[in-house]
Amino acid sequence: MKTFMESKGKKVFVVGGQAHNSSSYGASVDEACAAVRAVGGNTVEIPVYWENIEPKEGQFSFDDVEQIYHKVRENGLYLIVLWFGTWKNGTCKYAPSWVKLDGRRFHRVVAENGAKIPVLSPHCRETMEADGKAFQKLMERLAILDPEGETILAVQAENEPGIMNGPARDYGSRATEAFTCPLPEKMLGMLVAFPDSQVAGCWEANGRKTQSWSEAFGRHAEEIFTAYAVAGYVNEVARRGRTCYQTTVYTNVWVDNHRLKIPGKDYPSGGAVSLVMDVWKYVADALDFISPDNYQQTNQGYMACCDCYSRNDNPLFIPESGLLEWNSRFMFSAVADYRAIGICAFGI
């Protein structure tokens, strides 16, 4: 596990900005770099899209990736690459059309009423294999472009993964079968490894049962079940990428610091929110850290989010935050009180 970002062995404290979601082309990259430089930043976060990298299955194109890399390097900035693969904000917006249109092969999440929603299921091995292959190809190209890690500081695997605008879990046949089966050995290992976690507390309150997820975790069962599946999926994608390029790899989180906390409605179910953070830390060990998108507008809310993700086993990196005045004030507390290793503002 890396506890900081580095360039050619030198630690880098990240102060930067993230381009808008669909702003990875031509002049937009130049504008993002100019904006980062104007505010005295050193890093720009730029998304790359599975649908562009692999528009047809098995046919890869990295022209956009190379253009992004060279433009950022020419501007004298560091680059963090954001992989928009299976998930973007809990949906499959940037997956290729050949994935989105083939529901038989690449399963969608099924709602309780049987409707399929625009989210790819974390229980579909076929989708994970395809995403993992594409991510590995991306990392191979980044290794060629920046073998010494001079410009590229990190790669984000997926974007706010989980199930959004849908149920807390997939009700498809494969997922339902897994939900009603006894807890897998890895999940039991997590409960032993993190006995003080919220998830272990749920398990204790329900009598330490193991015959099904519902029996084990009660009202939180669906979200915990989905977190276990999504974390395992993202971990496999990240692991494949790391076989060919040893840069920092992390994922980000749509946090649950809201007035309402309904998984699948207020935030993507299965993402590494406070309830299931320890599940993610145990299952997704190919990630260096898990990072909150912190848009909280009160001091109390912002610091509560920092407190959750600043741990001995998880350095605090904030890949997305607001652009308004309050965010610049909170940044100092994140660094001083929670030892943040970097902060970026979204929509630079």
Side-chain angles (χ1 to χ4, degrees), residues 243-315:
T243 61
C244 49
Y245 191 39
Q246 288 301 308
T247 189
T248 298
V249 180
Y250 72 96
T251 198
N252 65 331
V253 185
W254 181 333
V255 300
D256 60 349
N257 294 67
H258 308 290
R259 184 176 62 85
L260 299 175
K261 296 187 177 183
I262 303 174
K265 301 295 189 291
D266 297 306
Y267 60 90
S269 180
V273 297
S274 55
L275 171 66
V276 295
M277 178 65 170
D278 292 307
V279 174
W280 271 82
K281 290 303 298 182
Y282 187 79
V283 175
D285 57 1
L287 299 174
D288 288 296
F289 39 83
I290 296 167
S291 301
D293 293 340
N294 196 346
Y295 289 95
Q296 303 305 305
Q297 298 185 30
T298 66
N299 184 73
Q300 182 180 8
Y302 196 96
M303 298 313 149
C305 182
C306 290
D307 188 65
C308 177
Y309 293 91
S310 176
R311 307 168 21 147
N312 290 335
D313 63 353
N314 196 76

Side-chain angles (χ1 to χ4, degrees), residues 6-12 78 146 148-153:
E6 61 182 345
S7 171
K8 298 183 69 176
K10 179 182 178 181
K11 293 183 180 181
V12 175
Y78 297 117
D146 199 43
E148 300 299 322
E150 185 174 357
T151 297
I152 298 172
L153 296 180

Side-chain angles (χ1 to χ4, degrees), residues 33-56:
C33 291
V36 169
R37 292 176 64 187
V39 299
N42 61 6
T43 304
V44 61
E45 297 175 322
I46 303 285
V48 298
Y49 320 114
W50 186 7
E51 64 181 358
N52 281 16
I53 285 176
E54 193 179 10
K56 293 184 179 180

Side-chain angles (χ1 to χ4, degrees), residues 311-340:
R311 307 168 21 147
N312 290 335
D313 63 353
N314 196 76
L316 177 63
F317 171 58
I318 301 174
E320 293 185 30
S321 57
L323 282 170
L324 301 180
E325 175 271 339
W326 49 264
N327 188 64
S328 62
R329 290 186 288 112
F330 296 158
M331 176 182 71
F332 291 99
S333 293
V335 174
D337 299 331
Y338 296 98
R339 304 181 303 280

Side-chain angles (χ1 to χ4, degrees), residues 6 51 104 115 122 146 155-156 165 171 175 230 239 255 291 319 334:
E6 61 182 345
E51 64 181 358
R104 289 182 178 273
D146 199 43
V155 177
Q156 177 182 290
N165 302 320
Y171 280 80
V230 176
R239 185 191 65 79
V255 300
S291 301

Side-chain angles (χ1 to χ4, degrees), residues 46-101:
I46 303 285
V48 298
Y49 320 114
W50 186 7
E51 64 181 358
N52 281 16
I53 285 176
E54 193 179 10
K56 293 184 179 180
E57 186 171 8
Q59 297 181 19
F60 296 92
S61 173
F62 295 98
D63 292 346
D64 291 335
V65 174
E66 293 182 3
Q67 182 184 59
I68 290 167
Y69 173 79
H70 289 299
K71 282 183 175 293
V72 172
R73 189 177 178 86
E74 288 167 7
N75 276 275
L77 297 172
Y78 297 117
L79 170 65
I80 295 177
V81 176
L82 313 178
W83 173 242
F84 286 11
T86 296
W87 286 286
K88 165 66 174 78
N89 294 16
T91 68
C92 60
K93 182 176 180 179
Y94 291 98
S97 58
W98 55 269
V99 171
K100 289 188 283 191
L101 295 175

Side-chain angles (χ1 to χ4, degrees), residues 201-221:
C202 291
W203 187 50
E204 290 284 350
N206 284 280
R208 297 169 64 93
K209 298 176 182 177
T210 62
Q211 291 308 301
S212 73
W213 289 82
S214 289
E215 286 189 359
F217 303 113
R219 67 186 181 91
H220 293 297

